[in-house]
DNA sequence: CGAAAAACTCAAAACGTTTTAAATACCGAT
DNA sequence: ATCGGTATTTAAAACGTTTTGAGTTTTTCG
């Protein structure tokens, strides 16, 4: 492996000058810089990252901890995040150290990884209200970035979508189409994203002067079967007057709802309007539904690059407040939403 | 962060002695070692990996590259491996650096990770015949351990099960029960494990003096639906005389076969015997099948610790030949296998 | 008791880089 | 020629560890 010393020896320069030349410092002459660059290219010089890290005090590695469900499965979004994240980090020459959390206590794994002392920071996802990981990492002064937000105003970097707006936009679209009985099949309510969606839903419903009984607001870890069984219960009339529209927390849930509608002989969108939030996971494409799904869309993959950049910038001293972004999901109207069916215009009491 | 210097200052020893004391060198007195250890524990000393690496050339990090399918999903075993591996590596104070492979060329990701120069070695899984990753890493002299084997005799560390024996054991059990028409629903035949299973299957079938037409030997990426559609085709009689027993590459496939049998009104095991290979994934428990599945069982989780240890030992100079283990899957007879049904005793022509 | 051997400890070099502080070269103006 | 200043380069320190070669102490044994 070629080193700075090799280059400096060949040119009769000091290693300091060579280092500066290659790192674009302004005080080195153009002629010298060119000569250095030439030799470096010729002998295929690659800086030794370990040595760089020893002197700069940074490791160029960040941690990510996968939280498994009780049944040892990962949340369907995990892989997508992982893929995008490693790519985005690699772009800025940072590596991802992974660990898997099988513990009950959410912070012990972070503690253990920190003890090894090789991480510059963490990427957190799936926040819950008053997330204990946040308190822990802040108490240790460890930089991190959060995917999603747990509170309205925070003092750490994050990137996420406006989840209240997601529900608002969905309700607003359906209300415009004349719907008065709108149900919600939300994700796991322990997580902030689902709490925000539900809150946005309730707000929007109230603003439209409507009402949705509790029996028509559900929440659970997204799965096709959850969508199916809940929709079956709601649409069969067992729980009271059935809804004319359902808002789903994910396309996976929507798939189940679709199947339930089919089994009950209901057609989408003439008997039932359907709108889902779409993370744009490659396995489950909303456009491939029959009919194509109306969605609030925000590709999970799009979050990875900002997350990586926010974190790295923060580690390099960037101000937390300037490294926060909340973006708005895009409302894409396709064919699973339509005017309220005749005879379905009465609101719930 | 506490350093060797802190300890040496506190005790009035040299850093050299402190280093030796902590690393178990023989030439330091028991008393000194104890004093050093005490202080180290008290101030929570952790060696700086980066500094260690600079001088020893080792980093205490190994790479693992997740290969995604075309549809961006991971193979169902991925998470299980990941969980076990991070735990087993942590046990020996080694970290796992993860990357995700979205490329066509299987070695480019390895090359890119290597360029950064921070990895001691790799853990490879899902080998294919003449695996290009093996050739690549060997040409660079990078240590690695393989989960599974691609060839009969190799010169690198591995841990895996005897896949030919898996099929042999299954066929042998079924033959003993009187079955003469045994079908195989194998995993993706690009991978060595599936190739070996098929080879073992053919050998065992031949040894029993039997024959299985090509139409009854299938292979594909395991999924419930694959099991369902193939079993439906085989058991409906569309492909010729139907089998009395099916060997499945995974419990996932078996689930599909089970559903197909049910749809066709066949009961297991009186009309059809079923045996699957069981990786013991927590999501899909063979004992929870109805009837409980007869399996060749080899928990994927059991592979993680040996893999981690083989790799670390190899990195520390251990001989490749002594770091190879091939174990035998356990045959567990439950209730999905039974005597051949009356009238099903004719072999295929 | 004294010398040789064994046991233990230390100072310093090394790994490859960045960065600080100091030195030298170059320039135009006196 | 000399001065003051700027532009460029250098030597050396630093990061935290391991390891070499050389001490220093202690033990052993004649």
């Amino acid at each position: 492996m070629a080193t700075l010393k090799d280059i400096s020896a060949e040119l009769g320069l000091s290693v300091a000058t060579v280092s500066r030349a290659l790192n674009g410092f302004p005080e080195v002459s153009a002629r010298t810089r060119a000569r250095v660059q030439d030799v470096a290219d010729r002998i295929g010089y690659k800086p030794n990252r370990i040595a760089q890290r020893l002197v700069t005090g940074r490791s160029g590695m960040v941690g990510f901890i996968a939280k498994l469900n009780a049944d040892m499965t990962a949340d369907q979004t995990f892989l997508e995040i992982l893929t995008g994240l490693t790519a985005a980090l690699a772009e800025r020459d940072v590596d991802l150290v992974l660990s898997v959390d099988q513990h009950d206590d959410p912070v012990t794994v972070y503690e253990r990884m920190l003890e090894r002392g090789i991480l510059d920071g963490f990427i957190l996802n799936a926040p819950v209200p008053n997330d204990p990981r946040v308190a822990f990492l802040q108490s240790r002064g460890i930089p991190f970035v959060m995917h999603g937000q747990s509170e309205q105003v925070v003092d750490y970097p994050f990137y996420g979508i406006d989840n209240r707006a997601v529900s608002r936009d969905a309700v607003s679209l359906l209300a415009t189409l004349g719907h008065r009985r709108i149900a919600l099949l939300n994700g796991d309510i322990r997580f902030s994203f689902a709490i925000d969606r539900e809150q946005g839903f309730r707000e929007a419903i109230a603003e439209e002067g409507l009402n949705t009984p509790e029996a028509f607001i559900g929440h659970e870890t997204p799965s096709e079967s959850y969508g199916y069984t809940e929709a079956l219960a709601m649409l069969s009339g067992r729980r009271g007057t059935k809804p004319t529209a359902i808002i789903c927390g994910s396309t996976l849930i929507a798939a189940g709802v679709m199947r339930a509608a089919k089994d009950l002989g209901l057609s989408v969108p003439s008997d039932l309007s359907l709108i889902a939030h779409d993370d744009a996971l490659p396995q489950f494409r909303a456009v491939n539904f029959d009919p194509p799904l109306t969605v609030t869309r925000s590709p999970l993959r799009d979050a990875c690059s900002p997350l990586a950049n926010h974190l790295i910038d923060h580690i390099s001293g960037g101000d937390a407040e300037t490294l926060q972004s909340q973006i708005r999901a895009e409302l894409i109207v396709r064919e699973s939403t339509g005017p309220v069916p005749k005879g379905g215009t009465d609101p719930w009491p």
Side-chain angles (χ1 to χ4, degrees), chain A:
Chain A
M1 260 291 167
T3 72
L4 283 185
K5 210 149 95 182
D6 297 336
I7 302 182
S8 75
E10 172 144 355
L11 289 170
L13 290 169
S14 70
V15 287
T17 305
V18 175
S19 169
R20 281 202 254 267
L22 291 173
N23 289 312
F25 279 59
E27 62 267 67
V28 42
S29 73
R31 209 179 79 88
T32 307
R33 192 189 305 281
R35 289 202 307 151
V36 168
Q37 195 58 258
D38 276 358
V39 178
D41 291 347
R42 183 160 51 72
I43 68 179
Y45 170 77
K46 296 260 175 196
N48 180 326
R49 292 249 140 72
I50 301 290
Q52 278 180 325
R53 285 164 190 185
L54 181 58
V55 65
T56 58
R58 294 230 297 277
S59 72
M61 330 202 117
V62 300
F64 183 69
I65 290 172
K67 174 89 180 164
L68 295 186
N69 301 324
D71 64 345
M72 289 289 202
T73 61
D75 149 297
Q76 16 150 216
T77 66
F78 169 65
L79 261 178
E80 180 78 359
I81 294 273
L82 211 56
T83 310
L85 226 41
T86 53
L89 289 168
E91 202 75 21
R92 295 194 59 176
D93 245 5
V94 169
D95 290 300
L96 187 76
V97 176
L98 187 104
S99 197
V100 176
D101 181 10
Q102 307 175 257
H103 264 269
D104 294 330
D105 179 4
V107 309
T108 51
V109 196
Y110 289 85
E111 206 162 5
R112 275 227 332 267
M113 294 217 74
L114 232 39
E115 265 177 12
R116 300 243 188 70
I118 56 157
L119 295 182
D120 291 342
F122 280 99
I123 293 161
L124 307 190
N125 72 347
V128 300
N130 292 312
D131 201 301
R133 301 170 298 172
V134 168
F136 172 72
L137 291 174
Q138 285 190 327
S139 77
R140 300 275 188 116
I142 308 294
F144 64 90
V145 64
M146 179 66 89
H147 181 210
Q149 284 161 272
S150 46
E151 331 296 333
Q152 289 296 43
V153 54
V154 296
D155 56 350
Y156 50 80
F158 67 80
Y159 178 96
I161 61 171
D162 185 342
N163 278 304
R164 299 153 81 119
V166 161
S167 296
R168 277 224 167 76
D169 288 349
V171 169
S172 160
L173 170 68
L174 292 169
T176 308
L177 289 167
H179 291 271
R180 296 287 172 268
R181 298 197 302 271
I182 305 172
L184 174 68
L185 289 179
N186 203 355
D188 189 336
I189 201 73
R190 281 175 309 167
F191 295 112
S192 299
F193 84 91
I195 296 174
D196 288 349
R197 296 231 186 114
E198 184 174 320
Q199 200 165 342
F201 176 80
R202 289 183 192 274
E203 287 164 6
I205 288 289
E207 277 164 26
E208 299 288 348
L210 302 175
N211 172 44
T212 296
E214 293 305 316
F216 293 95
I217 300 181
H219 46 79
E220 199 164 290
T221 304
S223 71
E224 203 266 356
S225 68
Y226 165 61
Y228 180 75
T229 54
E230 278 297 293
L232 216 53
M234 289 180 177
L235 296 173
S236 64
R238 265 186 274 151
R239 294 198 182 154
T241 318
K242 65 187 186 191
T244 63
I246 299 182
I247 298 174
C248 298
S250 78
T251 51
L252 199 54
I253 298 176
V257 173
M258 213 76 127
R259 182 157 65 93
K262 198 173 152 203
D263 282 7
L264 290 169
L266 298 171
S267 92
V268 175
S270 43
D271 300 318
L272 176 73
S273 279
L274 203 54
I275 175 169
H277 182 71
D278 182 12
D279 290 319
L281 300 179
Q283 307 92 297
F284 244 98
R285 320 247 302 128
V287 287
N288 294 344
F289 277 62
D290 179 27
L293 267 185
T294 293
V295 294
T296 47
R297 184 172 195 271
S298 156
L300 222 44
R301 188 64 69 95
D302 291 356
C304 296
S305 219
L307 281 171
N309 290 327
H310 279 8
L311 178 57
I312 295 171
D313 291 345
H314 187 45
I315 289 170
S316 326
D319 231 25
E321 275 72 21
T322 66
L323 297 170
Q324 305 183 326
S325 11
Q326 186 179 55
I327 59 144
R328 185 127 183 181
E330 184 187 8
L331 180 67
I332 301 181
V333 181
R334 297 205 183 88
E335 291 156 46
S336 69
T337 44
V340 64
K342 279 195 265 297
T345 50
D346 290 340
W348 277 304

